[in-house]
Amino acid sequence: MQWQTILLQQHKGVGLITLNRPHALNALNNQLIIEINQALDLLEKDPTIGCMVLTGSEKAFAAGADIKEMLDLSFPQIYLDDFFSLADRIAQRRKPLIAAVSGYALGGGCELALMCDFIYCADNAKFGLPEVSLGVLPGIGGTQRLTLAIGKAKAMEMCLTARQMDAQEAEQTGLVVRVFPAEQLLAQTLQAAEKIAEKSLTAVMMIKESINRAFEVSLAEGLRFERRIFHSVFADADQKEGMRAFVDKRPAQFTSAKGHHHET
C-alpha cells in the first residue's frame, strides 16, 4: 500500500500505525481516517499480529479534526452522508489497540485515543475537547467515551470550558494508564504490545470482548457472557498448552499468536 497520511510497521507480532501529517499536527481528515482503517484491516487479517499500536509525533498525537475540511459542510448533507461514521470502525476492532500519546491529543485526536483499548502517554501530553470554542460539540464519541473514562463532572467541565488536561491529571483520573518520559513512550508501549502479542490470540480477543461488554449490559448479563466465553475457551488448544505449561513449570508456547489456526 502507498500510504500518504500514515506509516505502517510490523515487528514481533505488533502492528504500529504512525499518524503522519506533520504539517497539520496530524489533524484528522477523511483520508487519514480511511488509511487508519485500511491499515487496521490489514493487521486484523494478519494472523501473525497479536496487538496493534496507534501513535503520532512527539509534538502531537493528533491536534484535532481538519477544520478546513468541515467549514462549509451543511446539514442535511452531513446527516445523509453520516459524516464521521468511518471513524466508528476504529473502535470496533477485535484485536487489542493501544494509543501512545505524545504532545497534543485534542478534539478528534483525543477521541481517536479514547477509541483505543487503553492509552499510554508522554509527560508532555495534553488532552482536550475544545469543540465548544468552535460553536460545536465533540462528534466522534468524545462526550460518551470521556465520560465513561473519567466520570461526569470532569468530562462536563472539560467539554464546556475547552480546558486541556495534562499528563499527570490524565493518569490521576484514569484517562491514561501510565505516563512515561517522552523519549521512552514508544519503546515502553511496544514492549507492552509485544507482551500481549506473545499470549494466546484467542484469549486476548475474548478478554477485550468481555471487558467491553461491561459498558453495554447489566452486571448479571455481563457475568453470564463472561462465563460462557470462559467455557468456550476450553475448546482451544491454547488453553491446554497454557495450563499444561503452568503445571510443567515451563513457558507456554501459544500457537494462535504465531499464525496457526488450529482445529480440535
Side-chain angles (χ1 to χ4, degrees):
M1 297 280 293
Q2 290 298 306
W3 309 107
Q4 272 149 33
T5 64
I6 65 165
L7 304 171
L8 177 61
Q9 296 160 282
Q10 298 179 33
H11 183 61
K12 289 189 179 175
V14 174
L16 172 64
I17 299 170
T18 305
L19 308 183
N20 189 33
R21 296 188 71 213
H23 57 286
L25 291 179
N26 293 331
L28 310 184
N29 65 359
N30 206 41
Q31 185 173 10
L32 180 57
I33 298 294
I34 288 168
E35 290 194 357
I36 291 171
N37 273 316
Q38 287 173 336
L40 289 171
D41 286 341
L42 289 173
L43 297 173
E44 290 247 88
K45 282 186 194 128
D46 186 339
T48 66
I49 296 294
C51 190
M52 309 179 296
V53 173
L54 191 59
T55 194
S57 67
E58 192 163 322
K59 191 174 180 183
F61 175 73
D66 199 320
I67 306 304
K68 287 176 191 159
E69 203 178 65
M70 290 189 282
L71 182 60
D72 296 321
L73 298 177
S74 63
F75 187 92
Q77 199 54 54
I78 62 167
Y79 171 72
L80 296 170
D81 291 344
D82 201 6
F83 188 66
F84 276 161
S85 61
L86 278 178
D88 294 340
R89 290 192 60 229
I90 296 165
Q92 291 159 3
R93 301 299 168 168
R94 297 178 68 206
K95 290 179 181 175
L97 176 59
I98 307 170
V101 173
S102 189
Y104 295 108
L106 305 177
C110 184
E111 291 173 300
L112 181 61
L114 284 163
M115 286 183 197
C116 299
D117 296 311
F118 60 86
I119 305 169
Y120 283 161
C121 80
D123 49 16
N124 69 340
K126 290 268 194 290
F127 297 88
L129 291 171
E131 285 85 349
V132 71
S133 300
L134 301 175
V136 295
L137 68 155
I140 325 178
T143 63
Q144 306 304 298
R145 291 194 178 96
L146 186 67
T147 306
L148 288 171
I150 68 173
K152 177 188 167 182
K154 286 238 181 217
M156 190 74 81
E157 185 245 15
M158 283 183 69
C159 288
L160 290 176
T161 66
R163 174 175 77 84
Q164 291 180 19
M165 180 183 276
D166 65 16
Q168 188 183 0
E169 187 183 356
E171 186 182 26
Q172 285 166 353
T173 58
L175 176 58
V176 306
V177 182
R178 297 176 71 188
V179 180
F180 298 103
E183 66 276 6
Q184 291 177 27
L185 172 68
L186 193 55
Q188 293 280 0
T189 306
L190 290 173
Q191 197 177 327
E194 284 163 17
K195 200 174 281 188
I196 293 168
E198 287 168 3
K199 304 289 191 287
S200 161
L201 187 56
T202 312
V204 160
M205 287 169 68
M206 285 176 171
I207 288 167
K208 171 167 172 166
E209 193 177 1
S210 294
I211 289 175
N212 283 336
R213 196 80 173 184
F215 291 99
E216 306 289 341
V217 301
S218 68
L219 177 59
E221 263 321 301
L223 288 169
R224 189 176 292 120
F225 180 85
E226 178 197 72
R227 191 67 38 79
R228 294 293 173 261
I229 292 276
F230 174 77
H231 292 159
S232 72
V233 82
F234 281 73
D236 189 55
D238 279 347
Q239 170 267 326
K240 305 289 181 286
E241 165 60 16
M243 291 192 168
R244 174 53 58 198
F246 178 82
V247 170
D248 293 349
K249 296 184 170 59
R250 61 173 176 82
Q253 297 294 314
F254 295 119
T255 51
S256 73
K258 303 294 182 288
H260 304 293
H261 291 297
H262 39 256
E263 294 173 13
T264 51

